[in-house]
């Protein structure tokens, strides 16, 4: 089955472009449309600042001049952004057509370049953590999976509460592996590696679960992702069935009854690259998935949760977008089969938003926001002091105000739970793009909350066992306490020069058993 063709880019595969430039979506960036005419002054720096504010914010939040270094601005970000403003630069000819009033003049463009080139710093100073890391096991015990003969490229490591088993997927084998007592017991082939498992679908009682098979792991517009159902077959094998095909890099599914017909719909996040979206599917009379609604045709979705956020009795969707126009957006159910968008937060496109969770950290009855940012494998591959984990207090009606920040280079996920069973919320975090040369300990940090909004960060010494792309929290040994599962993507995606990995490349995953 295929996604509605109007939602897909069917041309050639696109190469990766700058984090700044990808805000423009090929359908035509809004900054390419005629607007207010700016009158240049004798102050070139002020002109550059004003022109950047005027044009760049039509596509995304403004990137502060000090968010990137001078070299990154002039050699990567600005050249990639130029073409979206009808400018060719750095050795190419100016290609604006006769009579074309979109984009900028060369004079205006040069003012923007001069602004960033003049005021951007030569280097970005590292952020100083408010509390130093403690190197200890913090009440956890290491459990290792059986090593494999091949290098591990784990994209999924998740625990299924329905049967008490761990499931992994690997890029090289494009497979699904079931583990019991940290040993592989059976596998199944997938069309492409799975990056998310939904164990809570309606047919979960029958041993079925849904997989997001991404297609291409790299950021390209090549819609060959699939939603795959996995279930137990005869003779101890795992069987799989394609539920929907030709999706733009699906990274998550969630199911909920949005139309109140007593049956769950399936929401699919098609992250895509320059094209993607958030889609709702229903099961038709023949038992097959059928597209029901398009929540958004905006690419870059990384995570979603469902809930009745406005307390009207109808389920809504909250989505985090991690590329292009980065934002946390609430889609309110209009009770007619559609959704109305409301941006809760917007982030500059150098943030690399990666995950979020709603939880009442301060015990005031309002769900607060834990937000991480740190995807760092686009053109601006430098350590960024604003990457890390943030807590936003919910002051009412999901009006979020930042109340806490801990810098973590390349932070990619955080999950909150009361790990030590003292009544406070603690947090586990991973950083796939950590400063592995100088601070490998930040690849996994356990934040123990000892008093209201007072956290002790524990650098649990596991960096030697792998590089953690995935994080899951579940009661693996069924003792009533949340354990932590870390999936090892052992090779590739290196962004620091002159760095040779020293971690175990053959350990698919580890478990941190909670002994509190």
């Amino acid at each position: 089955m295929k996604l509605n063709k109007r939602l897909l880019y069917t041309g050639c595969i696109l190469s990766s472009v700058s984090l700044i430039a990808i805000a423009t979506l090929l359908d035509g960036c809004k900054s390419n449309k005629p607007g207010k005419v700016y009158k240049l002054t004798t102050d070139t720096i002020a002109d550059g600042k004003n022109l950047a504010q005027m044009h760049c914010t039509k596509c995304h939040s403004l990137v502060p001049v000090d968010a990137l270094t001078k070299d990154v601005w002039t050699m990567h970000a600005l050249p990639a952004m130029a073409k979206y403003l009808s400018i060719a630069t750095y050795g190419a000819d100016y290609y604006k057509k006769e009579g074309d009033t979109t984009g900028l003049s060369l004079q205006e463009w040069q003012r923007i370049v001069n602004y960033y080139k003049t005021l951007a710093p030569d280097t970005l100073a590292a952020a100083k953590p408010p509390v130093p890391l403690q190197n200890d096991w913090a009440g956890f015990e290491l459990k290792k999976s059986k090593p494999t003969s091949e290098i591990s490229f784990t994209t999924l490591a998740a625990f299924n509460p329905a049967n008490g088993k761990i499931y992994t997927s690997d890029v090289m084998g494009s497979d699904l592996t079931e583990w019991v007592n940290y040993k592989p017991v059976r596998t199944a082939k997938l069309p492409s590696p799975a990056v998310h498992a939904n164990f809570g679908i309606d047919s979960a009682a029958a041993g079925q679960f849904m997989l997001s098979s991404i297609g291409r792991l790299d950021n390209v517009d090549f819609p060959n992702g699939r939603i795959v159902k996995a279930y137990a077959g005869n003779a101890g094998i795992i069987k799989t069935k394609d539920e929907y095909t030709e999706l733009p890099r699906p990274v998550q599914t969630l199911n909920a009854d949005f139309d109140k017909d007593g049956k769950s719909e399936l929401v699919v996040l098609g992250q895509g690259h320059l094209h993607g979206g958030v889609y709702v599917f229903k099961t038709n009379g023949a038992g097959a998935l059928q597209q029901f609604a398009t929540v958004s045709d905006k690419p870059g979705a990384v995570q979603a949760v469902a809930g009745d956020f406005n307390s009207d009795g109808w389920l809504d969707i909250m989505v985090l977008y991690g590329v292009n126009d980065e934002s946390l957006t609430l889609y309110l159910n209009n009770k007619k089969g559609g959704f109305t968008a409301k941006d809760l937060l917007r982030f500059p496109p150098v943030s690399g938003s990666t995950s979020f969770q709603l939880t009442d950290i301060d015990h005031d009855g309002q769900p607060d926001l834990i937000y991480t940012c740190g995807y760092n494998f686009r053109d601006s591959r430098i350590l960024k002091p604003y990457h890390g984990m943030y807590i936003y207090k919910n002051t009412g009606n999901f009006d979020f105000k930042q109340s806490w920040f801990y810098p973590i280079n390349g932070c990619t996920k955080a999950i909150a739970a009361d790990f030590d069973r003292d009544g406070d919320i603690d947090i586990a975090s991973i950083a796939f793009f950590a400063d592995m040369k100088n601070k490998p300990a930040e690849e996994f940090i356990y934040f123990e909350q000892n008093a209201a909004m007072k956290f002790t960060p524990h650098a649990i010494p596991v960096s030697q066992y792998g590089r953690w792309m995935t994080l899951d929290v579940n009661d693996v040994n069924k003792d009533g306490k949340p354990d932590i599962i870390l999936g090892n993507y052992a090779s590739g995606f290196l962004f620091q020069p002159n760095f040779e990995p020293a971690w175990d490349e053959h350990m698919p995953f580890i478990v941190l058993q909670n002994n509190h």
Side-chain angles (χ1 to χ4, degrees):
M1 302 181 70
K2 302 177 182 179
L3 189 66
N4 190 323
K5 285 296 185 183
R6 71 180 184 86
L7 301 175
L8 298 178
Y9 173 70
T10 56
C12 63
I13 298 175
L14 299 179
S15 62
S16 215
V17 295
S18 163
L19 194 59
I20 308 301
I22 56 179
T24 56
L25 312 189
L26 285 190
D27 296 328
C29 176
K30 288 179 281 186
S31 64
N32 276 354
K33 298 178 181 178
K36 181 181 177 181
V37 176
Y38 181 81
K39 186 176 180 179
L40 296 177
T41 71
T42 57
D43 189 338
T44 60
I45 299 300
D47 284 346
K49 179 180 180 180
N50 293 334
L51 286 164
Q53 175 71 49
M54 178 185 297
H55 291 278
C56 298
T57 57
K58 295 175 183 176
C59 290
H60 53 72
S61 295
L62 185 68
V63 180
V65 68
D66 60 354
L68 298 173
T69 63
K70 198 183 306 291
D71 285 347
V72 172
W73 275 119
T74 56
M75 301 302 293
H76 298 283
L78 289 170
M81 188 174 87
K83 60 184 176 181
Y84 296 101
L85 298 172
S86 296
I87 296 291
T89 185
Y90 299 86
D93 292 328
Y94 175 54
Y95 64 83
K96 223 168 89 169
K97 295 180 180 179
E98 184 72 26
D100 185 0
T101 58
T102 65
L104 302 177
S105 70
L106 282 175
Q107 263 190 313
E108 290 173 322
W109 173 249
Q110 191 55 51
R111 299 285 170 101
I112 291 177
V113 172
N114 190 48
Y115 166 66
Y116 285 102
K117 187 175 182 179
T118 302
L119 297 185
D122 293 325
T123 60
L124 297 185
K128 184 177 180 180
V131 181
L133 288 174
Q134 292 190 10
N135 294 288
D136 56 25
W137 286 93
F140 292 91
E141 178 184 349
L142 176 65
K143 300 291 183 180
K144 298 188 289 187
S145 62
K146 183 180 179 179
T148 60
S149 59
E150 304 294 332
I151 294 176
S152 294
F153 293 92
T154 305
T155 56
L156 170 73
F159 179 78
N160 184 354
N163 61 14
K165 297 172 182 177
I166 292 174
Y167 291 87
T168 64
S169 188
D170 187 275
V171 164
M172 298 306 292
S174 290
D175 55 13
L176 176 71
T177 302
E178 182 181 273
W179 298 75
V180 177
N181 295 324
Y182 304 105
K183 297 178 181 178
V185 293
R186 53 181 180 168
T187 62
K189 291 296 293 183
L190 296 174
S192 63
V195 295
H196 179 260
N198 182 351
F199 297 116
I201 61 174
D202 291 345
S203 54
Q208 301 179 359
F209 53 94
M210 209 73 80
L211 298 167
S212 299
S213 225
I214 192 169
R216 291 281 294 271
L217 197 64
D218 50 330
N219 294 323
V220 295
D221 280 307
F222 194 71
N224 66 335
R226 304 184 186 191
I227 300 303
V228 178
K229 183 178 287 186
Y231 54 99
N234 296 325
I237 64 172
I238 304 175
K239 299 189 72 174
T240 62
K241 176 179 178 289
D242 288 350
E243 292 290 293
Y244 213 92
T245 64
E246 296 191 16
L247 286 160
R249 301 182 65 245
V251 295
Q252 183 191 353
T253 70
L254 61 89
N255 54 288
D257 185 4
F258 295 102
D259 58 4
K260 302 181 76 168
D261 67 349
K263 300 177 182 178
S264 289
E265 288 76 53
L266 191 72
V267 176
V268 176
L269 271 59
Q271 185 177 104
H273 174 46
L274 298 180
H275 292 260
V278 179
Y279 317 110
V280 178
F281 294 89
K282 291 176 71 74
T283 302
N284 61 24
L289 285 181
Q290 184 174 7
Q291 187 180 342
F292 171 65
T294 298
V295 179
S296 168
D297 59 4
K298 176 180 173 180
V302 295
Q303 187 184 346
V305 297
D308 183 7
F309 297 114
N310 59 355
S311 301
D312 66 350
W314 292 73
L315 291 178
D316 315 299
I317 309 170
M318 195 177 292
V319 180
L320 178 66
Y321 293 91
V323 293
N324 308 331
D325 182 14
E326 297 192 31
S327 67
L328 181 68
T329 301
L330 175 59
Y331 294 96
L332 293 170
N333 195 326
N334 67 9
K335 309 173 188 178
K336 300 176 183 177
F339 297 85
T340 302
K342 176 185 177 183
D343 281 346
L344 302 178
L345 293 168
R346 294 184 73 201
F347 309 101
V350 290
S351 299
S353 301
T354 47
S355 78
F356 78 102
Q357 185 176 349
L358 299 174
T359 187
D360 186 6
I361 292 178
D362 54 9
H363 304 293
D364 67 350
Q366 299 277 3
D368 306 301
L369 173 70
I370 299 172
Y371 160 80
T372 64
C373 59
Y375 187 89
N376 208 12
F377 205 70
R378 300 185 181 94
D379 279 0
S380 56
R381 298 177 188 179
I382 56 174
L383 298 174
K384 301 177 174 71
Y386 42 85
H387 279 175
M389 183 166 65
Y390 294 76
I391 295 177
Y392 289 81
K393 178 177 174 57
N394 183 355
T395 61
N397 197 30
F398 295 95
D399 182 17
F400 292 118
K401 302 297 182 184
Q402 182 184 327
S403 60
W404 187 85
F405 169 64
Y406 195 93
I408 306 171
N409 290 295
C411 191
T412 41
K413 193 169 185 179
I415 297 179
D418 184 7
F419 289 100
D420 57 6
R421 300 188 295 175
D422 65 351
D424 290 326
I425 297 296
D426 313 300
I427 308 171
S429 73
I430 57 172
F432 187 66
F433 295 102
D435 181 0
M436 294 172 287
K437 290 176 67 173
N438 305 302
K439 298 179 181 179
E442 67 184 359
E443 291 180 45
F444 176 80
I445 303 176
Y446 164 62
F447 292 89
E448 178 187 8
Q449 187 172 192
N450 299 308
M453 297 299 290
K454 301 292 184 182
F455 294 90
T456 299
H458 299 270
I460 297 180
V462 293
S463 61
Q464 62 182 303
Y465 300 108
R467 184 184 179 195
W468 316 120
M469 177 178 275
T470 72
L471 166 67
D472 186 32
V473 170
N474 249 301
D475 184 7
V476 175
N477 61 349
K478 300 180 181 179
D479 66 351
K481 295 175 290 187
D483 307 302
I484 298 169
I485 306 172
L486 302 176
N488 180 17
Y489 195 99
S491 183
F493 288 101
L494 296 179
F495 68 104
Q496 292 178 288
N498 304 316
F499 172 72
E500 291 294 331
W503 52 72
D504 192 329
E505 293 187 326
H506 301 276
M507 187 76 60
F509 69 94
I510 63 171
V511 171
L512 296 176
Q513 182 175 288
N514 187 349
N515 290 334
H516 286 98

